[in-house]
Amino acid sequence: CFLGIFAKTVFVLDGIGKSFGITRLIDGFELELALLAGVLALGTGLAIDGHILLGWLKTHGGTLAQSVTNLAILGGTLIGLGVEVIFSSFFLSILMASRTKRWV
């Protein structure tokens, strides 16, 4: 998904074409808010998985219930999403700055 956003951003900023959604993204993009969203997702995922890990260690490595496994998947997904949003936000900011000659 992010690769498509990056490609459309270049598409719009270089004047090759128009995209209403990307134009809105470019006009409203704030690096700090995107980083905050990424850090919140990453922190939430780490908190979920950390809580599960502590519970698992208290049972001396016993089996986990199905609901705990599902929660661990959610935590791992949030960690991956958070890291992706953080790195993609930096890249999008650099991409926009290289095309517009102004830093956001």
Side-chain angles (χ1 to χ4, degrees):
C1 290
F2 284 113
L3 179 61
I5 291 171
F6 300 148
K8 281 255 188 180
T9 301
V10 170
F11 179 74
V12 170
L13 289 176
D14 283 352
I16 298 169
K18 295 180 182 180
S19 172
F20 176 72
I22 295 297
T23 303
R24 284 191 62 196
L25 173 72
I26 292 168
D27 292 339
F29 180 77
E30 292 185 32
L31 177 61
E32 295 81 8
L33 290 178
L35 290 176
L36 180 63
V39 167
L40 286 175
L42 177 63
T44 303
L46 287 173
I48 290 171
D49 282 351
H51 179 72
I52 293 170
L53 177 63
L54 290 177
W56 181 71
L57 290 174
K58 286 180 184 176
T59 65
H60 304 289
T63 60
L64 295 173
Q66 179 68 32
S67 61
V68 174
T69 304
N70 292 339
L71 200 57
I73 292 170
L74 173 65
T77 302
L78 285 173
I79 290 170
L81 180 66
V83 169
E84 184 71 25
V85 167
I86 290 169
F87 286 126
S88 294
S89 299
F90 278 119
F91 183 73
L92 186 60
S93 179
I94 292 168
L95 182 67
M96 288 171 33
S98 72
R99 298 293 198 249
T100 62
K101 305 297 186 224
R102 65 180 173 88
W103 292 97
V104 289

